[in-house]
């Protein structure tokens, strides 16, 4: 299985801050990577697909980049409604695997 | 608007079989380029893909669970189902059904996303 390692596992930031999460794959996955947001008690929601493409309807403060083994997810200006856990997911190989998640909190 | 809804027992005894059904509304389960997946999440932990089915009946399973998992589809009812046998406490989790949308890009590469999810259902394994 391809292992996906996210860091940090949690972070606390102020409203308006720039927030960056990294995701590292255990092998080259090209750009076969998606990012999801999960709010407490809810199902995950797709934010970014193919590493850098913004899903329709998702605010432009969310962005993604990277290719190969190293990927970055960024919130350019943290908003109170962004409090959630964020997951990366690879689909280069089955089984599809997720990172362990990054919990984002407001300072 | 496509909606997915999980249903099934919330409590299963150890060694028994967990059975869940996902009902799809707002679109036909047979139309379009979609797989239909099950994903689970133990409390406070991350997401684990269990497996998927195409409406032809073709399946793929996570090797870690393959010996215990069966996913089936009933296109007449617009449903797909999960059976997980010989459950233990480690199988306690929120179980999600999800639609896997796929396409091939201009270079012929396979692309996918989980674009619709059910709300999730908690299954507890306990005697």
């Amino acid at each position: 299985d391809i292992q996906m390692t996210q860091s940090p596992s949690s972070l606390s930031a102020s409203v308006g801050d720039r927030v960056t999460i990294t995701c590292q794959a255990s092998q080259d996955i090209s750009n076969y990577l998606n990012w999801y947001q999960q709010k407490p008690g809810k199902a995950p929601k797709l934010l970014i697909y193919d590493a850098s493409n913004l899903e329709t309807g998702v605010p432009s403060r969310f962005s993604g980049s990277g290719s190969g083994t190293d990927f970055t997810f960024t919130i350019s200006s943290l908003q109170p409604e962004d409090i959630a856990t964020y997951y990366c997911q690879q689909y280069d190989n089955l089984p599809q695997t997720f990172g362990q998640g990054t919990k984002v909190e407001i300072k | 608007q496509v909606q997915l809804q999980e249903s099934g027992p919330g409590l299963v005894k150890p060694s028994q079989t967990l059975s869940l059904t996902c009902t799809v509304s707002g679109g036909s389960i047979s139309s379009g380029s979609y797989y239909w997946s099950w994903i689970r999440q133990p409390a406070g932990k991350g997401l684990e893909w269990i497996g998927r089915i195409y409406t032809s009946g073709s399946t793929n399973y996570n090797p870690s669970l393959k010996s215990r998992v069966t996913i089936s589809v009933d296109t007449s009812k617009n449903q797909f189902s999960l059976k997980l046998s010989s459950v233990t406490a480690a199988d306690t989790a929120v179980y999600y059904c999800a639609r896997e949308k796929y396409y091939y890009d201009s270079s012929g590469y396979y692309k996918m996303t989980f674009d619709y999810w059910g709300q999730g259902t908690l299954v507890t394994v306990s005697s």
Side-chain angles (χ1 to χ4, degrees), chain A residues 1 31-32 34 36 38 41-46 49-50 55 87 89 91 94-100, chain B residues 37 39 41 45-49 52 60-63 96 100 103 109-115 117-119:
Chain A
D1 298 5
N31 69 337
Y32 298 144
N34 302 321
Y36 297 85
Q38 186 178 34
K42 300 294 187 182
K45 172 188 174 183
L46 175 68
Y49 63 96
D50 299 345
E55 174 71 349
Y87 294 93
Q89 173 241 335
Y91 61 93
L94 289 178
Q96 301 160 36
T97 49
F98 294 83
Q100 80 277 18
Chain B
S37 281
I39 296 163
Q41 184 173 37
K45 296 189 177 180
L47 299 156
E48 180 181 33
W49 179 76
R52 69 184 185 185
N60 299 102
Y61 298 132
N62 192 320
Y96 294 101
E100 178 180 328
Y103 66 98
Y109 291 107
Y110 178 89
K111 302 287 186 175
M112 65 74 63
T113 61
F114 291 117
D115 62 344
W117 298 64
Q119 64 185 24

Side-chain angles (χ1 to χ4, degrees), chain B:
Chain B
Q1 178 81 347
V2 173
Q3 292 186 321
L4 289 78
Q5 177 69 56
E6 304 90 352
S7 60
L11 180 65
V12 181
K13 289 181 168 48
S15 79
Q16 293 190 342
T17 296
L18 177 162
S19 297
L20 296 174
T21 295
C22 182
T23 301
V24 180
S25 59
S28 170
I29 200 171
S30 302
S31 66
S33 300
Y34 308 117
Y35 283 93
W36 303 91
S37 281
W38 288 96
I39 296 163
R40 70 180 183 178
Q41 184 173 37
K45 296 189 177 180
L47 299 156
E48 180 181 33
W49 179 76
I50 299 169
R52 69 184 185 185
I53 191 164
Y54 196 65
T55 51
S56 64
S58 171
T59 54
N60 299 102
Y61 298 132
N62 192 320
S64 67
L65 298 167
K66 186 174 183 177
S67 63
R68 299 193 291 130
V69 173
T70 302
I71 297 177
S72 59
V73 65
D74 186 337
T75 55
S76 68
K77 294 181 178 179
N78 234 32
Q79 296 175 334
F80 62 108
S81 298
L82 168 70
K83 290 188 185 299
L84 181 66
S85 64
S86 305
V87 297
T88 69
D91 296 309
T92 295
V94 174
Y95 285 76
Y96 294 101
C97 56
R99 189 177 83 170
E100 178 180 328
K101 175 183 175 182
Y102 74 89
Y103 66 98
Y104 292 90
D105 69 9
S106 57
S107 300
Y109 291 107
Y110 178 89
K111 302 287 186 175
M112 65 74 63
T113 61
F114 291 117
D115 62 344
Y116 285 98
W117 298 64
Q119 64 185 24
T121 187
L122 173 63
V123 179
T124 301
V125 178
S126 175
S127 56

Side-chain angles (χ1 to χ4, degrees), chain A residues 24-44:
Chain A
Q24 185 170 59
S26 59
Q27 64 187 67
D28 189 337
I29 60 169
S30 184
N31 69 337
Y32 298 144
L33 183 108
N34 302 321
W35 288 95
Y36 297 85
Q37 174 193 64
Q38 186 178 34
K39 296 186 176 180
K42 300 294 187 182

Side-chain angles (χ1 to χ4, degrees), chain A:
Chain A
D1 298 5
I2 297 176
Q3 304 303 313
M4 306 300 293
T5 303
Q6 283 182 237
S7 62
S9 55
S10 65
L11 65 90
S12 181
S14 299
V15 172
D17 281 356
R18 184 180 184 87
V19 168
T20 299
I21 299 167
T22 64
C23 179
Q24 185 170 59
S26 59
Q27 64 187 67
D28 189 337
I29 60 169
S30 184
N31 69 337
Y32 298 144
L33 183 108
N34 302 321
W35 288 95
Y36 297 85
Q37 174 193 64
Q38 186 178 34
K39 296 186 176 180
K42 300 294 187 182
K45 172 188 174 183
L46 175 68
L47 298 182
I48 302 287
Y49 63 96
D50 299 345
S52 60
N53 295 309
L54 193 67
E55 174 71 349
T56 302
V58 174
S60 59
R61 64 180 180 274
F62 296 102
S63 65
S65 64
S67 183
T69 61
D70 295 304
F71 301 86
T72 300
F73 173 83
T74 300
I75 307 173
S76 61
S77 176
L78 185 67
Q79 300 302 304
E81 60 266 33
D82 300 337
I83 301 312
T85 300
Y86 294 84
Y87 294 93
C88 60
Q89 173 241 335
Q90 69 80 22
Y91 61 93
D92 182 54
N93 279 353
L94 289 178
Q96 301 160 36
T97 49
F98 294 83
Q100 80 277 18
T102 297
K103 187 175 184 178
V104 174
E105 298 175 320
I106 295 286
K107 191 181 293 183

